[in-house]
């Protein structure tokens, strides 16, 4: 089915408008979910179960991890965020798809190929790739082992809004230059109403403007491409030995996200590496932020203290380590750690809702809307 073939869904108007009196209600307070750990053994068992099951007609073997507090529509590991264990056996491929959700893919077993838009990405163990919205994609296992990925998506948010759109594509689809995202061109001599000819009028003296509708229906295009961060290229930039002076945390940046600093327009991804032999971090207060954080630990061990409760983790564990606005702190074990963290920072920056409190009892900052943590040193690095 294509967009042009789609027929609008019929809807029956709702009757009986309800009014809720909110006069005098107190100011809103965050309602965070509890932290949740999915142990390595659970993940591995689910990979084996999916691999042993009959192949679905569309080839998509997957299990979405659902938090006990999630309610439909919009089931996810965190509010608005899905993490799905996706599996392909050797020689298998998925039917091509495109959707208005976007994804972050992390390889956790085996290897395979992602075909997306006009390109192909060979995703190895611990590699990361992003899949932009509404660009065709399929997955193919061209290796000899089961290929498993953690697929992070903003689909639950779109489901909650009632606008998650997806369409199957012909099985013959293959990447081609015609599928590449491109900036639209306008011929003002042939088209009467364009951004170039639309009104754009100053209102008042503080910067407000009045614009023609053309600016809304023909938005300036910012190219968004599928990108690949091979772990083999990323790892040398992170600390490997205590005292080597390298960074312990780095962000995966997609230029299409601009000031939102994301790997996608909803998610940023960081890789952290704390080598063995570092002095242990003293226990103390943590910090908190409105964005959620989900950690996939792939080396080492440690403890996260979330809302005053210690949660031990080891390599292979997945942890909702920072539900929105819960105080949290992380402490690596003597064997160090390596971890991917996925957070919905860019979404909050775009909504001006990213509030951050680095020191409990200190100021609450609106990051991206006011001056932030200039001169910031991470608590692990500072040893505080």
């Amino acid at each position: 089915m294509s967009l042009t073939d789609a027929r609008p869904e019929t809807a029956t108007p709702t009757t009986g408008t309800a009014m809720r009196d909110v006069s005098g209600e107190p100011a809103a307070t965050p309602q965070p979910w509890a932290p949740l750990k999915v142990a390595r053994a659970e993940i591995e068992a689910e990979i084996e179960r999916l691999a042993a099951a009959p192949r679905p007609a569309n080839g998509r073997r997957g299990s979405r991890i659902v938090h006990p507090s999630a309610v439909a529509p919009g089931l996810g590991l965190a509010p608005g965020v899905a993490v799905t264990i996706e599996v392909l056996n050797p020689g298998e491929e998925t039917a091509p798809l495109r959707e208005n959700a976007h994804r972050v893919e992390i390889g956790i077993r085996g290897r395979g190929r992602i075909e997306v838009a006009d390109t192909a990405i060979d995703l190895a163990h611990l590699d990361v790739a992003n899949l932009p919205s509404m660009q065709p994609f399929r997955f193919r296992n061209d290796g000899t082992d089961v290929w498993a990925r953690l697929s992070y998506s903003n689909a639950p948010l779109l489901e909650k809004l009632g606008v998650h759109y997806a369409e199957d594509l012909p099985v013959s689809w293959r990447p081609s230059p015609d599928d590449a995202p491109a900036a639209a061109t306008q011929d003002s001599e042939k088209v009467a109403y364009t951004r170039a000819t639309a009104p754009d009028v100053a209102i008042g003296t503080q910067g407000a403007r009045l614009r023609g509708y053309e600016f809304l229906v023909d938005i300036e295009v910012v190219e968004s491409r599928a990108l690949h961060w091979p772990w083999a290229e990323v790892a040398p930039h992170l600390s490997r030995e205590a005292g080597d002076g390298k960074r312990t945390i780095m962000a995966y940046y997609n230029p299409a996200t601009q000031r939102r600093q994301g790997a996608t327009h909803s998610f940023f991804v960081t890789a952290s590496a704390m080598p063995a032999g570092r002095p242990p971090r003293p226990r103390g207060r943590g910090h908190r932020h409105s964005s959620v954080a989900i950690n996939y630990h792939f080396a080492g061990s440690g403890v996260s203290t979330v809302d005053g409760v210690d949660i031990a983790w080891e390599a292979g564990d997945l942890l909702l380590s920072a539900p929105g606005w819960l105080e949290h702190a992380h402490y690596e074990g003597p064997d160090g750690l390596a971890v991917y963290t996925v957070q919905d920072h860019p979404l909050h920056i775009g909504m001006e809702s990213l509030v951050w409190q680095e020191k409990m009892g200190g100021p609450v900052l609106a990051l991206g809307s006011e001056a932030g943590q200039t001169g910031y040193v991470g608590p692990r690095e500072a040893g505080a």
Side-chain angles (χ1 to χ4, degrees), residues 61-135:
R61 304 173 183 267
S63 289
R64 185 186 286 196
I65 302 170
V66 178
H67 192 283
S69 294
V71 294
L75 298 176
L77 178 55
V81 183
V83 181
T84 303
I85 302 168
E86 298 198 352
V87 169
L88 279 176
N89 287 327
E92 291 184 343
E93 67 178 25
T94 63
L97 178 77
R98 72 171 187 159
E99 61 180 343
N100 66 339
H102 53 232
R103 301 187 182 197
V104 166
E105 305 289 332
I106 300 177
I108 62 172
R109 176 174 168 181
R111 60 185 304 130
R113 170 163 286 203
I114 306 173
E115 295 178 337
V116 53
D118 65 337
T119 191
I121 294 171
D122 291 316
L123 198 81
H125 182 234
L126 298 180
D127 285 5
V128 174
N130 73 309
L131 301 184
S133 169
M134 292 304 287
Q135 294 184 19

Side-chain angles (χ1 to χ4, degrees), residues 37-47 85:
K37 183 176 81 171
V38 185
R40 174 180 180 172
E42 296 176 79
I43 295 173
E44 291 179 344
E46 190 62 12
I47 290 172
I85 302 168

Side-chain angles (χ1 to χ4, degrees), residues 10-11 18 61 96 119 122 138 162 173 210 214 227 261 286 316:
T10 58
R61 304 173 183 267
T119 191
D122 291 316
R138 67 150 36 101
W173 174 84
L210 189 68
E214 295 90 327
L227 301 176
Q261 307 300 323

